[in-house]
Amino acid sequence: MTHAIDIRGLHYRAGRSFEIPSLDLRVPTGAIYGFLGPNGSGKTTTIRLVLGLLRPRAGDIRVLDRPMPRQAADVLARVGYVPEQPHLDPTLTVREAMRFQAAFYPTWDHAWAEELLVAFELDERRLFGKLSKGQKGKLMMLLALAQRPELLVLDEPTDGLDPVVRRDMLAALIDYVSEGGATVFISSHLVHELERMCDWIGVMDQGRLVTELPMERFKNGIKRLVVSGAPPAVAAPFSLLSRERNGAATETWLVRGWEPEMHAFFDSVGASLQRVIDLDLEDGFVELLRTFRTLPPRPEEVR
Amino acid sequence: MFDHIDPRSPTPLYAQLASRLRLAVAAGELRPGEALPSVRRLAAQLRVNPATVVQAYRDLEHEGFLEMRQGAGTFVRDVPTGRRTSERIRQATVLVRQLIADAGRLGVSLDELHSAILEEMGAKAS
């Protein structure tokens, strides 16, 4: 498998307050990779390192098979970026912003840029500084897509925007990906949006990558089990992330790597499994962070 | 047609999509020869990964419900009446199984459920 983004042994520190001690992260070529994590977990920093906007203290970052930041100019010509905060000269009109962006990208698709302008209902004469938040978001997406990038890096592109705008932006993104098979690296707090479209998930917390898995495996593995009569110590065939008592009769277990056949395990230890509760991506994400913060890291959870 | 696609469900999205299409063919909502939206269009409309749509279409092609013609698109096949009936019955079983499981969780007895079904059916028939 080739990787559009390949980070190994990355170390970064900003002052004393924030550190990424050692990060390994791989985004398979052609994937739509959802990058999750609470505020301050290091997502935006990682994105800025990927784009060569920050310099690591140690480690290797390869983007589209080129070393970063050494070959930044080459790489950035093939990467579309939608930042968390749109930053364009507020005195440019929409049309001028498009012309400005087009000048940097030999692959700029004029026809498609015009189509997106219409689809996004943007007024070409309007000043960037006078656009609404949603219009700014759509313009940034237009600028990133019309350059026909091989890799799209999107830092919370739709967070804080209304549902209609989000829908338009993501539909345009999916349309582009379906056609050309570009790789997408997208961070967001809107977990359900990522759940629809991502086939890979990476979760960051406190400067560390908690997990990185194909979406199906992430969702299938994590369950909440309601158990009664279990002995205090068990050697389970799944990994037991946490165990809490619900009053006298039952316990709630959070497990990973669950398979339906593992039912039999409970009979073998004289316990009974009363319910298996499916966790969606958001529940799984929340539980994962909770256990990551309360338990020492386990070798199989941290790559 | 795809309003009920639920990304939060433990059933994978491609399976939800395939199941909805299968039923649409079985119920005649999609007619033989009818063209389905392109992968690109449907993926963008649902904001799902294009691979999800491809996998749903492939599964249904494999089952004989759809035909993917290179360069032309994806079309509904003429599925024999018997096959369509058995598919609808299968779907009915799935629905009832779900209903019984929900009733069990809510503490509604099977007798109560049964009479409620009969009553609703009677109300609809009259």
Side-chain angles (χ1 to χ4, degrees):
Chain A
M1 194 190 292
T2 62
H3 296 97
I5 299 175
D6 191 336
I7 300 176
R8 288 168 200 250
L10 171 73
H11 176 214
Y12 175 81
R13 185 160 42 204
R16 285 206 190 129
S17 54
F18 182 75
E19 184 179 23
I20 296 177
S22 177
L23 179 69
D24 288 283
L25 181 151
R26 260 152 243 151
V27 179
T29 303
I32 304 183
Y33 185 118
F35 195 32
L36 292 173
N39 289 327
S41 59
K43 294 190 311 282
T44 295
T45 303
T46 303
I47 286 173
R48 294 174 67 82
L49 283 157
V50 162
L51 295 167
L53 301 170
L54 295 173
R55 308 229 152 210
R57 293 189 167 215
D60 291 313
I61 305 174
R62 293 184 75 83
V63 178
L64 299 173
D65 221 19
R66 306 271 170 104
M68 286 297 269
R70 201 142 34 95
Q71 295 192 25
D74 244 27
V75 169
L76 294 182
R78 297 152 66 201
V79 175
Y81 171 43
V82 175
E84 201 178 357
Q85 300 292 338
H87 54 62
L88 284 177
D89 181 343
T91 64
L92 288 180
T93 65
V94 167
R95 173 61 66 191
E96 284 163 346
M98 287 167 70
R99 222 180 282 143
F100 181 76
Q101 186 90 351
F104 289 95
Y105 296 95
T107 50
W108 185 266
D109 184 336
H110 288 277
W112 195 36
E114 295 308 316
E115 272 178 46
L116 285 171
L117 189 67
V118 175
F120 285 166
E121 297 175 318
L122 291 169
D123 177 356
E124 59 175 302
R125 288 158 305 178
R126 204 160 177 90
L127 294 178
F128 182 75
K130 301 268 181 197
L131 295 180
S132 70
K133 206 172 165 194
Q135 288 166 334
K136 281 182 181 161
K138 289 198 278 194
L139 179 59
M140 297 312 285
M141 185 65 97
L142 180 156
L143 297 178
L145 289 175
Q147 71 190 61
R148 296 210 155 268
E150 290 164 58
L151 169 66
L152 275 151
V153 177
L154 311 169
D155 192 0
E156 303 186 358
T158 60
D159 292 42
L161 303 184
D162 73 65
V164 179
V165 171
R166 293 211 307 266
R167 188 174 278 244
D168 289 351
M169 286 172 65
L170 294 178
L173 173 68
I174 296 285
D175 184 49
Y176 176 62
V177 173
S178 318
E179 182 200 19
T183 308
V184 178
F185 185 56
I186 178 170
S187 83
S188 177
H189 289 291
L190 302 163
V191 178
H192 299 306
E193 239 166 47
L194 295 186
E195 194 163 12
R196 290 181 91 95
M197 61 185 193
C198 292
D199 46 12
W200 274 80
I201 286 290
V203 178
M204 201 81 187
D205 192 31
Q206 299 167 346
R208 290 174 169 83
L209 191 70
V210 180
T211 196
E212 178 175 78
L213 282 175
M215 174 74 93
E216 287 305 318
R217 276 183 53 204
F218 185 93
K219 282 182 69 174
N220 283 339
I222 298 193
K223 305 277 176 190
R224 201 181 286 136
L225 309 179
V226 180
V227 179
S228 64
V234 291
F238 41 79
S239 84
L240 180 56
L241 299 178
S242 72
R243 215 179 141 157
E244 284 164 26
R245 291 213 71 81
N246 316 319
T250 60
E251 293 180 7
T252 297
W253 292 15
L254 183 74
V255 305
R256 197 172 165 74
W258 171 258
E259 310 268 356
E261 311 83 75
M262 293 174 182
H263 234 97
F265 160 76
F266 291 93
D267 298 331
S268 74
V269 296
S272 95
L273 173 61
Q274 308 197 329
R275 277 185 79 186
V276 179
I277 300 157
D278 296 306
L279 299 185
D280 67 12
L281 183 62
E282 183 154 15
D283 298 333
F285 166 64
V286 170
E287 294 291 359
L288 192 68
L289 288 186
R290 201 165 59 84
T291 54
F292 177 73
R293 287 176 179 185
T294 52
L295 294 175
R298 293 152 176 262
E300 76 268 29
E301 302 302 330
V302 179
R303 318 184 344 182
Chain B
M1 184 182 298
F2 303 108
D3 296 344
H4 297 295
I5 299 296
D6 176 13
R8 306 181 58 173
S9 156
T11 307
L13 281 173
Y14 78 86
Q16 293 182 43
L17 205 56
S19 156
R20 185 67 194 87
L21 285 165
R22 206 181 284 119
L23 189 60
V25 174
E29 190 182 341
L30 287 171
R31 303 242 155 233
E34 199 170 317
L36 272 99
S38 67
V39 168
R40 181 175 168 181
R41 224 184 87 204
L42 188 55
Q45 184 196 327
L46 301 175
R47 292 160 339 273
V48 299
N49 197 299
T52 300
V53 179
V54 171
Q55 189 165 358
Y57 280 7
R58 283 224 181 101
D59 284 6
L60 289 180
E61 182 178 46
H62 190 70
E63 294 169 23
F65 284 85
L66 300 179
E67 184 186 2
M68 293 170 91
R69 288 185 220 142
Q70 201 64 47
T74 303
F75 300 89
V76 178
R77 284 189 47 180
D78 197 353
V79 181
T81 318
R83 178 89 198 275
R84 289 174 38 197
T85 310
S86 62
E87 182 55 37
R88 285 201 306 275
I89 292 170
R90 213 177 60 83
Q91 283 292 338
T93 310
V94 171
L95 287 174
V96 170
R97 209 173 277 155
Q98 182 65 49
L99 186 62
I100 291 174
D102 286 350
R105 254 197 294 285
L106 297 171
V108 174
S109 79
L110 285 184
D111 281 345
E112 287 157 349
L113 190 62
H114 189 226
S115 40
I117 290 172
L118 290 180
E119 196 169 312
E120 285 298 313
M121 286 170 77
K124 190 146 193 201
S126 62

